[in-house]
């Protein structure tokens, strides 16, 4: 043990000599050598060499663990963002996927299925828990058309399925508030497009309808339609004008744009 102590002492001196000339660094290098000497002294007092090695290994493990723990956690959030405390990818819980017979779409998670049947060929209807005017319906009917374009332009197609825009709410002569004489309902096409999705041609129309009774200030009705396998597929999502500007727009637009045939 005497020779071993001498070897360690020389090693400590060599380390101090080859280090930076700064006095502070010399002092820091001396301290570890003193600790080693004490460990050697304890080893002489009935502690075996294996205990010294075990302590050094334990110290190494602790230092390694501290380094790993200092890494940036997935839970850390950038300024202005909410922290993901579990470190898992965030998922969109506002919508739930729905796979129907030959079609699929995303439905707002807070909308419930409804048994009400409004239109021919209706196979699905979901509505808002708090307002049934906010809803989505899907209709599937046989057709001899090969493509949605066989119905003509988007406007011509809409004229063939105008029953989707709702029943007339008032009967009789009327000439009030933005309505022409004897006209009790108005439908304005706000937006239209003809996207191709998965090789299929679609028609998309955004329509604002108003009735003489002023119900909800009107309704925003979004219609997505296509033809596939001898069937006409129509998805209609809607919300009242008042709720449209209070947050319903996001759910109606996302639902309508998510619709596609399988």
């Amino acid at each position: 043990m005497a020779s071993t102590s001498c070897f360690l002492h020389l090693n400590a001196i060599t380390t101090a000599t080859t280090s930076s000339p700064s006095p502070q660094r010399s002092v820091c290098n001396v301290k570890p050598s003193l600790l080693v000497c004490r460990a050697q002294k304890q080893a002489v007092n009935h502690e075996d060499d294996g205990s010294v090695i075990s302590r050094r290994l334990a110290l190494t493990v602790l230092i390694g663990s501290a380094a790993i723990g200092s890494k940036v956690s997935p839970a850390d959030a950038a300024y202005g963002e909410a922290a993901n405390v579990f470190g898992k990818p965030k998922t969109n819980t506002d919508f739930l996927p729905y796979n129907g017979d030959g079609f699929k779409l995303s439905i707002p998670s807070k909308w419930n299925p409804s048994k009400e049947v409004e239109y021919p060929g209706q196979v699905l209807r979901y509505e808002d828990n708090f307002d049934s005017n906010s809803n989505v319906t899907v209709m599937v009917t046989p057709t001899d058309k090969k493509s949605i374009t066989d119905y003509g332009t988007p406007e011509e197609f809409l004229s063939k399925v105008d029953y989707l825009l709702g029943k007339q709410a008032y009967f009789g002569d009327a000439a009030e508030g933005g309505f022409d004489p004897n006209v009790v309902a108005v439908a304005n096409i706000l937006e239209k497009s003809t996207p191709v999705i998965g090789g299929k041609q679609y028609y998309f129309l955004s329509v604002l309808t108003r009735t003489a009774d002023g119900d909800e200030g009107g309704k925003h009705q979004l219609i997505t339609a296509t033809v596939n396998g001898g069937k006409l597929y129509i998805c209609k999502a809607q919300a009242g004008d008042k709720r449209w500007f209070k947050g319903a727009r996001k759910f109606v637009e996302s639902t309508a744009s998510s619709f596609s045939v399988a």
Side-chain angles (χ1 to χ4, degrees), residues 209-223:
T209 59
R210 295 175 58 201
T211 55
D213 63 357
D215 183 34
E216 276 284 329
K219 293 180 181 178
H220 290 264
Q221 307 193 49
L222 277 58
I223 299 171

Side-chain angles (χ1 to χ4, degrees), residues 148-166:
I148 192 70
T149 56
D150 293 337
Y151 287 94
T153 64
E155 295 88 345
E156 291 171 337
F157 168 75
L158 184 61
S159 68
K160 294 178 174 65
V161 294
D162 57 359
Y163 59 86
L164 295 174
L165 302 180

Side-chain angles (χ1 to χ4, degrees), residues 84-107:
N84 183 5
V85 296
F86 297 107
K88 296 179 180 179
K90 295 180 180 180
T91 56
N92 188 349
T93 58
D94 290 336
F95 297 88
L96 297 174
Y98 183 97
N99 293 312
D101 185 9
F103 66 91
K104 61 182 179 180
L105 74 161
S106 296
I107 298 176

